[in-house]
Amino acid sequence: MALITLFSILFFMLMASSSNAYWPPSPDYRPSSKFRPVNFYRGFNNLWGPQHQSIDQNALTIWLDSSSGSGFKSNRPFRSGYFGASIKLHPGYTAGVITAFYLSNNEAHPGFHDEVDIEFLGTTFGKPYTLQTNVYIRGSGDGTIIGREMKFHLWFDPTQNFHHYAILWSPKEIIFLVDDIPIRRYPRKSAETFPLRPIWLYGSIWDASSWATEDGKYKADYRYQPFVAKYTNFRAGGCSAYASRRCRPVSASPYRSGGLTRRQYWAMRWVQKYHMVYNYCQDPKRDHRLTPECWG
């Protein structure tokens, strides 16, 4: 028992020494490396705003101006998988502007859809972007909104370079990752609080002035247009909706059964300690009878 206790102390001392308050500890596993890059033309189609979209050597640029934004969608639906892209955001004043990379079946189930979001909420001069993760189940994003938001300020400037953002969705869990570092794990606690129907991958840039920046206090200002988002290094893999039932769901860790390693949990807790700015489960203004997954 003493040896086990000593080992645990040494392990966490090692973890603490490998990180600081500025950069997360290494998760020691890179799920993005397990999936091949996807050519945009082979994996996706323009959904709207084709005149606000361009491709250069498999790097996609989409932009928003006063006339339109733009969006794209995967060619096929999935029932589980890993979905990632390297994204570079627009600098300066971007209040009211949403740059998104997300899963949805809204077109298949209008008014009663599922959605898993990575959204970058635009900002004003001198303030950081907010990365918002969110999960909607069976219409909780339609009509009366029941969001499951966790928000973060990143430990780097997402306008300076490309960084890789990903969603891993399996029948057991949803894991959000930034540069292969898990920032949030949303486990399946019941069928009522977890998306299980086939879903497509989307990306977009659009005007959400009514709520995006400080609850709509700051609006999109088209004196600073165009607002540009760049996507590259698309990676997607898993079980399509048409795959055999023998197709195995992917994992964010070396464990085929899913979950995270101890190092990955450590990195995720570091991010949540130093960079999480909102957790819906900790919001006393929310009616948590509508979010029973917060109870456990």
Side-chain angles (χ1 to χ4, degrees), residues 11 18 21 24 37 42 80 83 88-89 97 111 137 140 146 149 159 196 202-203 206-207 220-221 229 247 253 282 286:
F11 176 83
S18 68
R42 296 186 64 180
S80 66
F83 312 95
K88 185 178 179 182
L89 302 177
V97 178
I137 298 100
S140 66
I146 304 170
E149 305 93 340
T159 72
L196 295 169
Y202 293 80
W206 57 290
D207 186 334
D221 187 338
C247 181
S253 74
Q282 298 172 0
R286 297 288 297 268

Side-chain angles (χ1 to χ4, degrees), residues 269-287:
R269 288 175 183 138
W270 183 95
V271 171
Q272 293 183 359
K273 177 179 180 180
Y274 291 109
H275 291 274
M276 184 172 69
V277 295
Y278 178 81
N279 181 348
Y280 75 106
C281 284
Q282 298 172 0
D283 187 344
K285 298 178 182 178
R286 297 288 297 268
D287 182 353

Side-chain angles (χ1 to χ4, degrees), residues 7 46 86 94 118 188 215 231 247:
F7 174 80
N46 174 264
S86 295
T94 54
I118 290 177
R188 176 180 174 178
D215 294 324
Y231 296 70
C247 181

